[in-house]
Amino acid sequence: MLTEYGRDARILIGANALGQTFLWFSFFIMPFYLKALGYGMKTMGMFFSAQTIVGGLFFLLAGPISLRLGYRKTLLSSAIVGLAGRVFQVSASSWFVLLLGFILVGVNMGLRQPNYNAYLSELVPDEMRHEAFSKSFGLGTLFNSLGVLLAGFLPGYLVGAGLTEETAYRLTFSLSLLQFAFVIPALFIVRDVAVREKRIRWERNLVVKILKFSLPSAIIGLGAGITIPFMSLYFKIRFGETLSAISYVFFFQQLAMGLGSFGLPELVRKWGPVKVITSFQGAATVLFAVFPSIETFALAGAVYVARAILMNIIWPINSSFMMGSFKTEEKATANGIQQAFSTFMRGVGNSVGGTLFAISLVYPFYATAVLYAVATALFYAFFKRYN
């Protein structure tokens, strides 16, 4: 599957995929872990906002830091900081320590993704870029699905073995540390990519191009922040389902996205990236608009899985499309700014979502659907001629 790429690209994609097992694992289990520690939804919103806002700040710094350190050293530094953050979250000896953990994980988040995208785009030929990004996403998502399944069943097993709920969730969440057991060693053995230009020429065309990618991402980030972090709790509150039952929804979501992403490059070759992105996002928007009217858990789970596939499966194509639009020295900075726009607004959305869910289980979904529709229309208007 990865034999057509060079050694470093294979190592990078493989380590990222293995690490992803415990990245989505930690995302899925986090609301339940915080609830077991005694925190309410408003406090959760504050923790999520702190992480995403700090992540946004470091998205802005991701490019300048990589121009000085290189992609590999920047990724390695972010992984070490992320490991420290997870350690603080696992210990959770006080709300301040827990908050510090979220802040450090935010630093990791901000430095990692732009530099991973830029690094991978430099390790593979341009004609293989869409395919490489899709395979990286697909493999990572398949491993994500295993992590979600583990997170869904392990706490109940540990409670059944006689542990308290808090201890069971703490032990389960501690497995998130394993993400870095794969990533950090891999980053020691790959070689860096030379960036000849150590500064970016900030011309008007470059700024406009970055803003065109960033504005739709910011609006989508706001919409996602309102609903996505609370979805596992929504299923529990709305339908009264167990954690293990809810984990199946997220397991099938990740499994289907992972398998589906391998066929996406062929669709891009036929339709073009812009049509694929806007078509999928538009369909996901419709599903989110009808989601709160669904009365049964099985149907709601199926619709949520379909929505998640449509909305998320196109992100590697979006990232690849963006990376192909910038020079080597511009890639991490441009992607970092785009991710910063999205992340700042996602952080705002986390707080808004916590408040809206405290009022109603319906309003957050309508708000997200409207924002997704606006973002999709803007993206198509900006890039339809580049399809």
Side-chain angles (χ1 to χ4, degrees):
M1 179 180 287
L2 302 178
T3 53
E4 65 268 37
Y5 309 134
R7 165 189 173 272
D8 290 344
R10 294 198 303 270
I11 292 173
L12 191 68
I13 292 173
N16 177 72
L18 292 171
Q20 290 285 311
T21 306
F22 302 100
L23 181 61
W24 191 265
F25 168 96
S26 61
F27 174 83
F28 173 77
I29 200 70
M30 181 61 79
F32 297 96
Y33 174 54
L34 293 175
K35 187 173 182 293
L37 294 177
Y39 295 102
M41 292 186 82
K42 283 191 174 181
T43 306
M44 291 182 202
M46 183 267 290
F47 285 142
F48 297 149
S49 291
Q51 176 176 304
T52 49
I53 289 171
V54 169
L57 290 172
F58 277 86
F59 277 131
L60 295 175
L61 297 173
I65 290 174
S66 66
L67 288 178
R68 290 181 174 273
L69 299 181
Y71 295 137
R72 186 188 70 85
K73 288 182 180 178
T74 304
L75 287 170
L76 182 58
S77 299
S78 73
I80 292 170
V81 171
L83 174 60
R86 289 296 187 209
V87 169
F88 283 131
Q89 287 179 330
V90 169
S91 67
S93 55
S94 68
W95 74 267
F96 178 76
V97 171
L98 194 55
L99 178 62
L100 183 58
F102 275 98
I103 289 171
L104 293 178
V105 170
V107 174
N108 167 252
M109 178 180 69
L111 292 179
R112 187 186 72 86
Q113 195 61 47
N115 284 290
Y116 178 83
N117 288 342
Y119 190 20
L120 181 58
S121 72
E122 290 294 310
L123 291 176
V124 297
D126 283 348
E127 64 272 15
M128 292 184 175
R129 195 177 59 250
H130 284 317
E131 185 179 298
F133 273 69
S134 293
K135 285 183 177 180
S136 175
F137 176 83
L139 287 172
T141 307
L142 289 176
F143 280 94
N144 271 337
S145 67
L146 299 177
V148 169
L149 207 58
L150 179 63
F153 282 89
L154 187 57
Y157 174 80
L158 293 175
V159 169
L163 299 180
T164 64
E165 185 180 48
E166 178 181 336
T167 302
Y169 276 100
R170 193 188 300 272
L171 285 174
T172 301
F173 184 74
S174 67
L175 294 178
S176 63
L177 298 173
L178 293 176
Q179 174 190 350
F180 303 99
F182 299 108
V183 173
I184 291 176
L187 290 171
F188 274 110
I189 60 176
V190 293
R191 295 180 293 273
D192 215 336
V193 174
V195 180
R196 295 180 180 86
E197 293 287 340
K198 295 297 183 182
R199 53 182 296 183
I200 296 174
R201 298 178 182 178
W202 288 100
E203 298 173 346
R204 181 178 180 276
N205 287 342
L206 175 61
V207 174
V208 170
K209 188 161 53 174
I210 292 174
L211 289 176
K212 283 183 176 180
F213 279 103
S214 299
L215 184 57
S217 291
I219 298 172
I220 286 177
L222 177 60
I226 290 173
T227 52
I228 302 304
F230 305 98
M231 283 309 305
S232 52
L233 279 178
Y234 170 83
F235 282 119
K236 184 175 181 63
I237 295 170
R238 176 77 166 81
F239 300 106
E241 293 294 331
T242 63
L243 179 60
S244 59
I246 295 168
S247 72
Y248 274 118
V249 174
F250 292 88
F251 167 73
F252 284 116
Q253 168 195 310
Q254 298 301 103
L255 182 64
M257 280 198 302
L259 294 174
S261 65
F262 296 123
L264 205 57
E266 182 60 32
L267 191 59
V268 172
R269 279 190 283 271
K270 292 181 178 179
W271 286 9
V274 176
K275 285 185 180 178
V276 170
I277 291 167
T278 53
S279 298
F280 278 44
Q281 285 184 355
T285 299
V286 173
L287 292 180
F288 234 144
V290 303
F291 186 79
S293 63
I294 298 173
E295 298 292 336
T296 64
F297 173 68
L299 183 57
V303 170
Y304 182 73
V305 169
R307 182 224 64 87
I309 293 169
L310 290 167
M311 198 68 199
N312 296 322
I313 200 174
I314 46 84
W315 281 115
I317 301 303
N318 193 313
S319 297
S320 176
F321 176 56
M322 184 179 185
M323 290 298 94
S325 303
F326 295 93
K327 299 175 183 177
T328 299
E329 68 273 13
E330 297 170 348
K331 289 180 178 180
T333 297
N335 193 224
I337 292 173
Q338 180 210 28
Q339 299 263 14
F341 270 79
S342 175
T343 303
F344 282 135
M345 297 309 293
R346 187 181 291 262
V348 174
N350 291 159
S351 294
V352 173
T355 301
L356 286 178
F357 271 113
I359 298 171
S360 168
L361 295 179
V362 173
Y363 296 156
F365 296 100
Y366 292 152
T368 297
V370 170
L371 291 167
Y372 278 6
V374 171
T376 302
L378 280 177
F379 185 87
Y380 185 75
F382 288 154
F383 298 110
K384 60 183 178 180
R385 67 190 179 101
Y386 297 106
N387 191 50

